[in-house]
């Protein structure tokens, strides 16, 4: 044998190794899929000799239908593209027998990357697959046995329930065998047919009654025959009558269902009848409305009332009743459900959780609430279900509910839609008509009035509670103001009189002047806080925005707090090495923000404690953090920590002084600078951390020769502003266009939505009080849009409604910021800039 070097020897050894492997079929294919080599394992597994198979296409190893489908070409294409292809499936031996194989195909390329062929490795996994199939078969057999036991138990339970409740049900019930012979009849059926159960039992159904068309008096096919033929629940057409043996005609509403045994075979038919004569129906509806009136007037808790209403509707008016109420955010929430089958109710809940109804849906509850118009579906089939199904799984789950007929009516009062009620027939097989819809609409109107009355009562109660709380807060605040002003005033007056009496020594006079000065400063700060709150409430708080250095501002604020910290031996730790050079803001107000937070931390820290002041930058945002390990904030008070006049230790026994205004003022100042502030605390005695985030203005640095003003920051930003006042719209447009923005205006909510269809803005600004649809209506409609249509657009409410409750309502409706009017131009630019940063962070 010639010597080809070490590489040639290695290749020869590898070839001999492959050819000797017996448990794996290993062979080579040329680029077109023809066999080039064949090892012992391949001969043992596939039963072809090397001289028989070499040169043939590897498709001979596949079943004919797979080879014809292009599977072989697909496998080679995937291996060539990805370098490797793996699959499991049936393969064919020489004699046509099948085995379950694991196949790996590897592409072979030369040094230049050219495809030269494929290596294929095949393993026989038939035994493993058979073992797995046997394991699955056993598991399935065990599960089937368990299900059968459960089914038999359920059937026994159902039979006992049926026998117990049959005699008390409000409909006539008759059961027959497969030959149409009566086997059971309840008391209502006895009254309807004029025969006793004993008289009817064993007789053919045609001897007990027959059914005719009320108009033509011609016989109609027996419902028993229809059920046996179709094998499903059926209902009779309208205008049918039951004819008794004595010849009396009674208008009926009817349905029939098959009775099946444990194996699913039909063993009989159950028929359900209802007296549908106009007199009887009118009497039943009067009685039902009396029950409804009693239920609606039984409680001022409208949710409990609606639950009673839903239960009343089942089964007399529906098989399934669901009630929806519109929340303050404009979304419909399911508040009451009743169903004749608890299992179906569970399935309905699961469908509602996994596939919530879209607010812009063109059918169903959302459309009824949006338009205030009822919807009637006399016959529900798969074609109708497919319109609302979001996926095959959704369709399958909805089909399992067995819905056959439905109607949805609005809950209304005073022309407003408060919600909707859906009524559904399923297992009973009954169907709704226009007459039933009219009755349901009257029910919806009565329920709407009850809901509105309950809401008004609740709102009045809450308003009374809020007024009481406000009065208490006002009284506590006035008491605090009196205390906080009288305390320094007492010191000032007392020492002033002693100075005028000329009875103090020089050291005492110096001390007296220091006390008078310190208390005068305290009174000045109290008065400034009161004035700031007044400015905030009236919407007149202003900031003078300039590009300014932040480091000197922070240092000045910390220096002014230092005497108070030294007096309590409190150490202020500084970690301010990463302060940015510039911010856009009012230097005096920025210093006020820092001073308020640090002095607050000192105030609530114990003697000898520590206060940490740190800062860091993230992108274009400055994060300023003040933390202490002092008194902390109770969890119950944390949501109100930024509200004015609120103190965790309010009352005469409180441990700290002040009016409870500092944090409220700080929050407003931070927001005027386009920033945010948040408070965190692990609880009482565990300290507190306040974090302020402000935009950095490195890009706003201007030459010293230019006037100190904030230059345009909104270059190219698309803004849509909505206001019914033309002057207000023009002002906003001019201010923002001077700052570089592209501004479109709209005079109403409808114009704004139309404008968004043409172009989605980067920022939305809207007034609240507008005729017709308000700003709240607009933002709810916007938030119901998909993201690509503007559903997530950052939005601010520019409004003259400046109360705390107005702010909460605006944020709850979907606005991201609430800005009271009138607004300073520089503040307006800052607000839009903040919203633009929110958009870029999405």
């Amino acid at each position: 044998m010639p010597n080809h070097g070490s590489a040639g020897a290695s290749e020869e050894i590898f070839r001999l190794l492959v050819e000797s492997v017996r448990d794996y079929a290993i062979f080579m294919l040329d680029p077109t899929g023809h066999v080039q080599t064949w090892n012992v394992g391949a001969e043992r597994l596939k039963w072809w000799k090397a001289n028989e198979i070499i040169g043939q296409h590897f498709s001979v190893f596949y079943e004919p239908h797979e080879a014809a489908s292009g599977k072989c070409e697909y496998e080679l294409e995937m291996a060539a593209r990805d370098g490797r292809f793996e699959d499991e499936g049936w393969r064919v031996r020489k004699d046509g027998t099948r085995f379950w194989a694991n196949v790996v195909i590897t592409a072979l390329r030369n040094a230049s990357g050219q495809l030269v062929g494929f290596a294929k490795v095949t393993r026989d996994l038939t035994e493993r697959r058979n073992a797995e199939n046997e394991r699955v078969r056993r598991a399935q057999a065990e599960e089937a046995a368990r299900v059968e036991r459960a089914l038999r138990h359920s059937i026994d339970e159902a039979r006992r329930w049926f026998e117990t409740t049959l005699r008390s049900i409000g409909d006539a019930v008759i059961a027959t065998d497969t030959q149409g012979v009566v086997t059971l009849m309840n008391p209502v059926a006895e009254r309807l047919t004029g025969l006793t159960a004993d008289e009817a039992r064993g007789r053919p159904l045609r001897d007990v009654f027959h059914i005719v068309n009320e108009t033509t008096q011609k016989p109609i096919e027996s419902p028993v025959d229809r059920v046996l033929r179709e094998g499903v629940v059926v209902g009779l057409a309208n205008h049918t009558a039951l004819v008794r043996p004595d010849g009396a005609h009674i208008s009926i509403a009817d349905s029939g269902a098959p009775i099946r045994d444990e194996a699913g075979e039909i063993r009989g038919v159950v028929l359900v009848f209802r007296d549908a004569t106009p007199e009887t129906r009118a009497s039943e509806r009067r009685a039902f409305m009396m029950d409804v009136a009693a239920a609606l007037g039984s409680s001022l808790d409208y949710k409990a009332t609606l639950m009673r209403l839903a239960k009343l509707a089942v089964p007399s008016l529906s098989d399934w009743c669901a009630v929806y109420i519109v929340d303050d955010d404009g979304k419909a929430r399911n508040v009451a459900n009743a169903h004749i089958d608890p299992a179906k109710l569970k399935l309905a809940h699961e469908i509602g959780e996994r596939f919530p109804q879209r607010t812009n849906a063109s059918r169903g509850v959302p459309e009824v609430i949006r338009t205030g118009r009822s919807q009637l579906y006399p016959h529900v089939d798969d074609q109708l279900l497919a319109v609302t199904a979001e996926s095959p799984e959704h369709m399958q789950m909805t089909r399992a509910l067995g819905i056959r007929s439905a109607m949805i009516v609005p809950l209304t009062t005073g022309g407003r839609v408060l919600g909707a009620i859906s009524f559904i027939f399923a297992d009973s097989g009954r169907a709704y008509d226009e007459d039933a819809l009219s009755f349901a609409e009257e029910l919806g109107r009565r329920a709407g009035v009850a809901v509105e009355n309950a809401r008004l009562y609740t709102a009045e109660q809450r308003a009374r509670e809020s007024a009481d709380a406000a009065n208490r807060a006002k009284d506590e605040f006035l008491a605090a103001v009196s205390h906080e002003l009288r305390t320094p005033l007492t010191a000032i007056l007392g020492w002033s009189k002693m100075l005028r009496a000329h009875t103090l020594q020089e050291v005492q006079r110096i001390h007296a002047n220091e006390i008078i000065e310190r208390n005068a400063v305290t009174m000045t700060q109290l008065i400034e806080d009161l004035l700031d709150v007044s400015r905030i409430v009236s919407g007149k708080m202003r900031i003078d925005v300039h590009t300014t250095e932040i480091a000197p501002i922070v240092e000045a604020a910390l220096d002014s707090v230092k005497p108070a910290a030294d007096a309590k031996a409190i150490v202020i730790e500084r970690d301010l090495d990463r302060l940015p050079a510039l911010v856009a803001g009012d230097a005096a107000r920025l210093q006020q923000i820092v001073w308020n937070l640090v002095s607050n931390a000192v105030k609530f820290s114990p003697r000898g404690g520590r206060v940490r002041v740190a800062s860091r930058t993230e992108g274009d945002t400055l994060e300023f953090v003040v933390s202490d390990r002092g008194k902390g904030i109770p969890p119950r008070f944390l949501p109100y920590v930024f509200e004015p006049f609120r103190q965790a230790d309010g009352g005469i026994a409180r441990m700290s002084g002040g009016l409870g205004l500092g944090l409220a003022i700080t929050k407003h100042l931070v927001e005027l600078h386009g920033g945010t502030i948040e408070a965190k605390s692990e609880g009482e005695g565990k300290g507190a951390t306040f974090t302020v985030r402000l935009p950095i203005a490195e890009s706003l640095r201007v030459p010293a020769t230019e006037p100190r003003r904030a230059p345009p920051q909104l270059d190219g930003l698309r803004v849509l502003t909505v206001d019914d006042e033309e002057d207000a719209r023009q002002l906003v447009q001019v201010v923002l266009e001077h700052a570089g923005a592209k501004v479109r205006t709209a005079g109403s909510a409808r114009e704004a939505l139309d404008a968004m269809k043409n172009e989605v803005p980067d920022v939305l600004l809207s007034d609240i009080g507008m005729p017709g649809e308000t700003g709240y209506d607009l933002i709810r409609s916007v938030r119901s849009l998909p993201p690509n249509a503007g559903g997530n657009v950052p939005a601010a409410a520019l409004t003259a409604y400046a109360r705390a409750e107005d702010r909460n309502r605006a944020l709850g409706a979907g606005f991201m910021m609430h800005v009271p009017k009138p607004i300073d131009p520089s503040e307006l630019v800052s607000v839009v800039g903040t919203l633009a940063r929110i958009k870029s962070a999405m």
Side-chain angles (χ1 to χ4, degrees):
M1 177 181 295
N3 183 3
H4 298 293
S6 59
S10 298
E11 291 176 359
E12 181 66 17
I13 292 172
F14 178 74
R15 183 184 64 77
L16 293 173
L17 177 62
V18 169
E19 291 180 352
S20 65
V21 173
R22 298 178 58 83
D23 295 331
Y24 291 81
I26 305 175
F27 53 96
M28 304 294 181
L29 305 175
D30 66 14
T32 62
H34 291 82
V35 179
Q36 299 296 300
T37 67
W38 196 251
N39 78 333
V40 174
E43 181 178 325
R44 180 171 172 269
L45 180 59
K46 298 178 181 286
W47 300 357
W48 268 284
K49 300 291 186 181
N51 61 348
E52 297 173 328
I53 194 65
I54 290 178
Q56 292 198 53
H57 194 271
F58 81 111
S59 59
V60 298
F61 307 141
Y62 293 75
E63 295 185 280
H65 72 277
E66 287 195 325
S69 70
K71 181 174 177 62
C72 300
E73 291 76 6
Y74 171 77
E75 291 181 355
L76 295 183
E77 180 183 345
M78 292 298 101
R81 189 192 70 181
D82 302 332
R84 184 178 186 275
F85 175 81
E86 184 172 357
D87 183 33
E88 283 194 12
W90 292 110
R91 297 295 185 269
V92 180
R93 297 186 178 94
K94 178 181 177 181
D95 65 348
T97 59
R98 299 193 309 168
F99 65 98
W100 187 263
N102 171 265
V103 177
V104 176
I105 303 176
T106 304
L108 303 176
R109 298 183 182 275
N110 59 20
S112 62
Q114 181 182 5
L115 180 69
V116 297
F118 300 90
K120 187 169 182 181
V121 180
T122 305
R123 287 189 297 159
D124 184 358
L125 300 181
T126 305
E127 291 185 3
R128 190 195 73 179
R129 177 177 172 83
N130 290 341
E132 177 65 17
N133 288 344
E134 178 62 20
R135 186 191 67 78
V136 172
R137 187 194 65 77
R138 290 178 180 177
Q140 290 175 339
E142 293 175 359
E143 176 64 12
R146 185 193 66 79
V147 171
E148 182 179 0
R149 290 193 298 271
L151 179 61
R152 287 179 177 175
H153 175 75
S154 298
I155 290 173
D156 291 340
E157 289 293 319
R159 183 179 293 109
R160 285 192 291 271
W161 173 86
F162 184 73
E163 292 174 351
T164 301
T165 60
L166 187 60
R167 303 191 64 81
S168 60
I169 196 168
D171 291 339
V173 179
I174 299 176
T176 75
D177 60 18
T178 55
Q179 303 303 314
V181 175
V182 176
T183 59
L184 180 146
M185 178 185 287
N186 76 340
V188 180
E190 290 179 330
R191 293 195 298 272
L192 204 61
T193 63
L195 298 175
T196 66
D198 291 338
E199 291 171 338
R201 190 179 296 111
R203 297 173 62 175
L205 186 65
R206 61 178 176 271
D207 292 345
V208 176
F209 66 84
H210 62 276
I211 299 175
V212 299
N213 183 293
E214 282 190 298
T215 304
T216 65
Q217 294 298 304
K218 292 182 178 180
I220 296 176
E221 181 185 20
S222 168
V224 173
D225 295 336
R226 287 187 59 196
V227 171
L228 293 175
R229 184 179 69 252
E230 300 176 20
V232 296
V233 176
V234 300
L236 287 181
N238 294 332
H239 310 298
T240 57
L242 177 150
V243 183
R244 296 167 33 163
D246 61 5
H249 286 55
I250 301 175
S251 297
I252 60 168
D254 163 79
S255 65
I259 302 174
R260 300 180 184 272
D261 60 14
E262 292 86 343
E265 295 293 327
I266 296 178
R267 296 303 183 191
V269 176
V270 61
L271 305 175
V272 180
F273 297 89
R274 174 168 297 181
D275 188 344
T277 57
E279 297 79 11
T280 302
R281 184 162 51 188
S283 176
E284 289 178 347
R285 288 184 174 179
R286 284 194 299 271
F288 181 79
M289 277 301 187
M290 290 178 64
D291 292 339
V292 167
L296 295 178
S298 63
S299 172
L300 287 170
D301 181 351
Y302 74 86
K303 294 178 184 178
T305 298
L306 294 176
M307 190 67 236
R308 293 190 187 96
L309 173 61
K311 290 180 178 179
L312 276 175
V314 175
S316 59
L317 197 59
S318 64
D319 297 334
W320 174 21
C321 179
V323 187
Y324 300 83
I325 290 294
V326 180
D327 279 342
D328 292 338
D329 60 0
K331 295 181 179 179
R333 186 164 54 89
N334 183 209
V335 297
N337 277 290
H339 202 295
I340 59 174
D341 185 349
K344 293 286 183 69
L345 189 57
K346 183 178 180 181
L347 175 60
H349 278 303
E350 183 181 352
I351 293 173
E353 289 289 331
R354 296 182 58 183
F355 305 100
Q357 299 184 74
R358 300 187 303 272
T359 55
N360 60 347
S362 60
R363 293 176 182 266
V365 170
E367 174 70 4
V368 170
I369 290 176
R370 189 165 54 249
T371 64
R373 294 190 295 269
S374 302
Q375 292 182 0
L376 173 65
Y377 303 98
H379 177 63
V380 177
D381 54 17
D382 276 1
Q383 184 177 0
L384 181 59
L385 294 179
V387 175
T388 58
E390 297 182 6
S391 66
E393 183 185 14
H394 188 195
M395 177 71 174
Q396 182 179 3
M397 295 176 70
T398 305
R399 187 188 289 119
L401 291 173
I403 301 172
R404 300 186 178 277
S405 184
M407 58 182 179
I408 308 170
V409 299
L411 279 169
T412 59
T413 181
R416 293 185 300 112
V417 179
L418 307 181
I421 312 178
S422 66
F423 301 93
I424 293 172
F425 278 142
D427 296 339
S428 67
R430 291 179 283 172
Y432 293 111
D433 55 18
E434 292 289 346
D435 182 61
L437 182 66
S438 298
F439 181 71
E441 288 176 334
E442 175 60 24
L443 187 62
R445 286 188 286 271
R446 296 194 183 195
V449 172
V451 170
E452 181 68 1
N453 289 340
R455 282 182 163 181
L456 289 174
Y457 175 80
T458 301
E460 182 184 355
Q461 197 172 38
R462 288 176 179 172
R464 190 182 302 113
E465 292 172 354
S466 298
D468 292 342
N471 285 332
R472 288 194 299 272
K474 180 189 68 177
D475 293 341
E476 292 177 3
F477 171 68
L478 291 176
V481 169
S482 176
H483 174 272
E484 295 300 320
L485 291 177
R486 287 175 182 273
T487 298
L489 188 59
T490 298
I492 292 172
L493 290 175
W495 285 103
S496 296
K497 289 181 179 180
M498 295 185 69
L499 285 173
R500 291 184 61 188
H502 302 291
T503 58
L504 299 177
Q505 298 180 1
E506 182 62 23
V507 174
Q508 291 175 318
R509 285 199 299 272
I510 295 173
H511 182 60
N513 284 323
E514 291 175 350
I515 293 174
I516 291 172
E517 181 180 3
R518 184 167 62 249
N519 282 276
V521 170
T522 299
M523 287 188 66
T524 300
Q525 184 60 51
L526 290 172
I527 293 171
E528 283 300 320
D529 284 350
L530 289 171
L531 291 175
D532 277 347
V533 170
S534 176
R535 296 183 188 109
I536 292 172
V537 172
S538 64
K540 296 180 179 179
M541 174 72 84
R542 295 289 181 266
I543 58 173
D544 186 14
V545 178
H546 298 284
T547 302
T548 182
E549 294 187 19
I550 185 64
I553 294 173
V554 174
E555 293 295 341
L558 295 180
D559 289 343
S560 65
V561 178
K562 190 174 185 303
D566 292 343
K568 295 178 66 175
I570 291 175
V571 176
I572 298 180
E573 299 176 347
R574 307 185 185 196
D575 183 10
L576 306 174
D577 293 339
R578 299 180 63 187
L579 280 173
L582 298 173
V583 294
D586 185 319
R589 292 301 191 179
L590 288 172
Q591 182 173 335
Q592 184 179 355
I593 291 171
V594 178
W595 184 90
N596 276 350
L597 293 177
V598 179
S599 63
N600 204 57
V602 169
K603 177 180 178 180
F604 289 104
S605 293
R607 185 175 184 81
R610 289 178 178 272
V611 172
R612 184 172 183 272
V613 181
S615 67
R616 64 175 179 173
T617 57
E618 290 188 359
D620 58 354
T621 301
L622 164 65
E623 188 172 274
F624 185 78
V625 182
V626 178
S627 58
D628 64 74
R629 301 303 299 171
K631 183 178 179 182
I633 306 171
R636 60 175 175 78
F637 186 73
L638 195 58
Y640 311 104
V641 72
F642 292 111
E643 290 190 8
F645 315 127
R646 297 290 294 266
Q647 290 183 306
D649 59 348
I652 61 173
R654 59 198 179 108
M655 302 294 293
S656 57
L659 301 177
L661 301 177
L663 290 178
I665 296 171
T666 300
K667 182 175 188 296
H668 191 76
L669 291 176
V670 169
E671 291 178 348
L672 284 180
H673 283 82
T676 62
I677 184 171
E678 65 175 344
K680 293 183 178 179
S681 177
E682 297 180 3
E684 294 185 73
K686 297 183 179 180
T689 299
F690 290 84
T691 303
V692 174
R693 296 179 180 87
L694 295 171
I696 298 173
E698 289 288 352
S699 62
L700 302 183
R701 186 188 298 273
V702 296
T705 56
E706 291 189 10
R708 298 188 65 192
R709 60 182 178 84
Q713 315 170 54
L714 312 177
D715 291 342
L717 197 70
R718 296 170 301 175
V719 181
L720 175 60
T721 181
V722 189
D723 200 309
D724 62 309
E725 293 290 340
E726 183 177 358
D727 292 344
R729 292 198 306 272
Q730 290 182 354
L731 173 62
V732 172
Q733 183 176 11
V734 170
V735 169
L736 296 183
E737 286 179 346
H738 274 282
K742 297 179 179 178
V743 183
R744 288 180 300 154
T745 63
S748 67
R750 180 50 51 193
E751 286 184 23
L753 292 172
D754 291 340
M756 289 184 65
K757 292 178 182 177
N758 298 324
E759 182 184 45
V760 177
D762 298 313
V763 172
L764 172 65
L765 305 176
S766 176
D767 188 21
I768 293 296
M770 296 185 291
E773 294 180 292
T774 66
Y776 299 128
D777 299 320
L778 170 61
I779 195 61
R780 288 174 186 138
S781 297
V782 168
R783 293 298 179 235
S784 69
L785 297 173
N788 61 357
N792 294 336
V793 63
L798 303 183
T799 174
Y801 295 101
R803 300 171 302 172
E805 52 265 39
D806 298 319
R807 169 188 168 80
N808 294 336
R809 186 178 179 188
L811 298 180
F815 287 105
M816 294 179 178
M817 296 182 69
H818 171 266
V819 184
K821 291 180 179 180
I823 182 170
D824 184 80
S826 59
E827 295 175 32
L828 178 60
V829 173
S830 178
V831 166
V832 174
T834 299
L835 292 174
R837 284 190 292 276
I838 293 175
K839 177 178 177 63
S840 64
M842 289 182 176

